[in-house]
Amino acid sequence: MAAQASVPARRHRHGRPIAHRPSGAVLAIPIVLGVVYGIYAAAIDRAGGQVTGGNIALGVVSGVVIMALGVGLLSIQSSLSRERRAAAYGALFGVGIGFLHSLTGESVIRASGMGLAFGGAMFAASFYWFYTHEN
């Protein structure tokens, strides 16, 4: 017996869509970004000197953290409203940029300001994207 056309494809809990599992192609984006981020963090920390175990450890840990946060954000983004989703992308981007800027030896206040500025710009850009490309 055929199902009716009004049967929903996904079930919702309390009016919110259930988080879905991202595809392999979508998961490649945070993985590649995590690898590039880790290499860049290690290069900044090295500052033109010799490669040490500390540089490599910093690059691996920071790359894995950014990668895990990106994959986590991708897995829950469908359950977030567009404002919260834009804020999450802005926070992730701002923290990432602020951390990279702090590795250059600048003050904590300047690195925090750079993180806030870039995070705010990412919030505005992602909110605009979500607002114009969703129903």
Side-chain angles (χ1 to χ4, degrees), residues 23-120:
S23 68
V26 172
L27 284 177
I29 295 170
I31 291 171
V32 169
L33 288 176
V35 169
V36 170
Y37 187 88
I39 291 170
Y40 193 60
I44 290 174
D45 189 50
R46 186 172 67 96
Q50 288 184 322
V51 177
T52 62
N55 301 128
I56 295 170
L58 176 74
V60 168
V61 169
S62 60
V64 166
V65 167
I66 288 292
M67 188 184 321
L69 290 174
V71 168
L73 184 56
L74 279 177
S75 67
I76 66 164
Q77 76 174 351
S78 63
S79 64
L80 297 174
S81 65
R82 67 175 69 123
E83 294 86 7
R84 289 183 180 173
R85 192 174 342 152
Y89 278 108
L92 180 62
F93 188 72
V95 168
I97 293 295
F99 176 70
L100 287 179
H101 195 70
S102 72
L103 290 177
T104 63
E106 292 288 335
S107 70
V108 174
I109 295 174
R110 182 169 171 98
S112 299
M114 293 294 286
L116 282 172
F118 279 94

